[in-house]
Amino acid sequence: MTSATRPLVLSMGEPAGIGPELTLMAWQRRHVRNLPAFAVLGDPQLLFDRSRRLGLDVPIGEIARLADAPAAFDAALPVLPLSASIAVAPGRPDPRAAPLVIEAIARAVDLCLAGDAAALVTNPIAKSHLYQAGFRHPGHTEFLEALSVERGRPARAVMMLAGRGLRTVPLTIHMPLKHVPGSITQSLILDQARIVARDLAAYFHIGHPRLAVSGLNPHAGEDGAMGTEERDIIAPALAILRAEGLDVVGPLPADTMFHEEARATYDVALCMYHDQALIPVKLLDFHEGVNCTLGLPFIRTSPDHGTAFSLAGTGRANPSSLIASIEMAAAMATAGASPGAGPAVAS
């Protein structure tokens, strides 16, 4: 199958969260949004029960192979069952489900690496409950990178958030803020900027991406008066990137990077830490923001929100971010990128 005909695969995410109902709602809107065929790695009974609870009337079609998804997709939500089933009430996470959450992600990665799936779309997980099942990764993104490496595929995961009119990349992700300054290195900036530039060209048809890089400190350090990281680390790294031919500006004061006129001057903003990158995307496009992981040997997108236990089972969850994630994954899969390309690395 080509990337245009291979189905997408969705991992079920935390079964007590909103992931199951978002998946059901996305399937319901398959014709309205012209969504490509997808299958979910999950529990068929749980999805059936959630559909009935919410009155969604979504038929569940259990399939044996991902290749069966396109034929089944129009009449039912295709589901690849996991190795076990467990009854989980919406809004009430059960640690016993953690191994199944991990299994769904790992199997989805294997389907992508085998070329059976065009891309992976992950539903949100609750990491605190996974730790009890041996999960040892700071987040979803880091787990996907580790799975790729374990399977002999080079990877350097880079998180990119994409919303209406803005893409941002947090150079550091899931770490306490006090650890950020010591984690900002020239090699980190070089590696991630190269991956971002390469994958924007490969997956988003941006031939010569324009990268804007924030500073770490207020006013981008004010020439060393408010911090020296910009002068000693960030600016020298950007000089190397420019010498390589990348279109890079910065370091820029973060408080003036995200207004409308500034956003028009770049294709992606590289930011120094998690909230610096995520706040502007969620402010501009809270309901349809997408988390896209670059630098993996497969395409991965995800809704830009969490498990929302308080909304699970109420019917009030908004599927827009999951639908946008499916649409972006499909667009990336048909963009002509070479499947399985390894990440760019610093020389």
Side-chain angles (χ1 to χ4, degrees):
M1 290 185 179
T2 67
S3 59
T5 58
R6 286 179 292 150
L8 307 183
V9 61
L10 276 62
S11 59
M12 71 172 184
E14 167 55 54
I18 60 175
E21 57 211 75
L22 296 183
T23 302
L24 295 165
M25 294 174 184
W27 181 85
Q28 279 190 320
R29 291 159 174 78
R30 66 199 183 285
H31 295 313
V32 175
R33 298 292 288 261
N34 194 29
L35 297 181
F38 61 81
V40 57
L41 269 161
D43 182 348
Q45 187 62 48
L46 183 143
L47 287 161
F48 174 80
D49 292 344
R50 193 70 58 90
S51 174
R52 185 171 57 181
R53 175 190 180 104
L54 297 175
L56 297 177
D57 193 29
V58 174
I60 305 300
E62 187 172 326
I63 59 175
R65 303 176 308 139
L66 184 60
D68 298 329
F73 186 70
D74 192 56
L77 171 64
V79 180
L80 281 164
L82 299 171
S83 60
S85 178
I86 183 171
V88 178
R92 299 178 62 183
D94 187 333
R96 294 177 301 166
L100 297 179
V101 176
I102 295 171
E103 177 192 340
I105 299 169
R107 283 181 56 188
V109 167
D110 288 337
L111 287 168
C112 290
L113 293 178
D116 297 325
L120 166 60
V121 180
T122 59
N123 272 299
I125 61 174
K127 296 184 291 294
S128 60
H129 302 290
L130 298 186
Y131 293 143
Q132 301 176 49
F135 191 78
R136 293 293 179 266
H137 304 277
H140 219 150
T141 300
E142 294 89 344
F143 184 40
L144 294 170
E145 177 183 277
L147 287 171
S148 300
V149 173
E150 287 172 8
R151 286 147 175 77
R153 303 295 294 273
R156 177 67 181 272
V158 175
M159 177 189 289
M160 183 176 77
L161 290 303
R164 191 174 294 111
L166 179 63
R167 301 180 189 92
T168 65
V169 171
L171 295 183
T172 60
I173 308 176
H174 300 114
M175 65 174 59
L177 195 56
K178 65 181 179 180
H179 295 159
V180 168
S183 300
I184 301 296
T185 64
Q186 284 196 25
S187 62
L188 175 71
I189 297 168
L190 295 174
D191 284 355
Q192 296 211 20
R194 290 165 177 158
I195 292 169
V196 170
R198 182 203 67 189
D199 283 4
L200 284 182
Y203 294 121
F204 293 89
H205 296 300
I206 303 174
H208 193 54
R210 300 168 299 166
L211 281 60
V213 181
S214 77
L216 172 67
N217 298 293
H219 303 290
E222 198 75 70
D223 293 325
M226 296 185 183
T228 60
E229 287 85 0
E230 290 80 6
R231 181 191 66 200
D232 298 341
I233 300 171
I234 302 173
L238 303 191
I240 293 171
L241 294 170
R242 293 189 196 102
E244 294 176 354
L246 271 66
D247 186 346
V248 184
V249 296
L252 304 173
D255 62 343
T256 59
M257 283 183 63
F258 301 111
H259 61 84
E260 186 175 3
E261 292 88 347
R263 297 198 308 273
T265 65
Y266 57 81
D267 298 302
V268 62
L270 275 62
C271 304
M272 293 299 117
Y273 55 92
H274 183 279
D275 287 7
Q276 197 181 57
L278 271 67
I279 288 173
V281 172
K282 293 190 175 185
L283 177 65
L284 290 170
D285 199 5
F286 183 78
H287 290 297
E288 295 198 24
V290 175
N291 178 353
C292 172
T293 307
L294 307 178
L296 295 175
F298 55 88
I299 296 165
R300 180 262 182 151
T301 64
S302 180
D304 185 21
H305 58 66
T307 53
F309 290 123
S310 62
L311 291 178
T314 68
R316 293 186 286 112
N318 188 332
S320 296
S321 185
L322 178 62
I323 291 172
S325 300
I326 292 169
E327 291 172 335
M328 180 179 288
M332 293 174 67
T334 58
S338 172
V345 295
S347 58

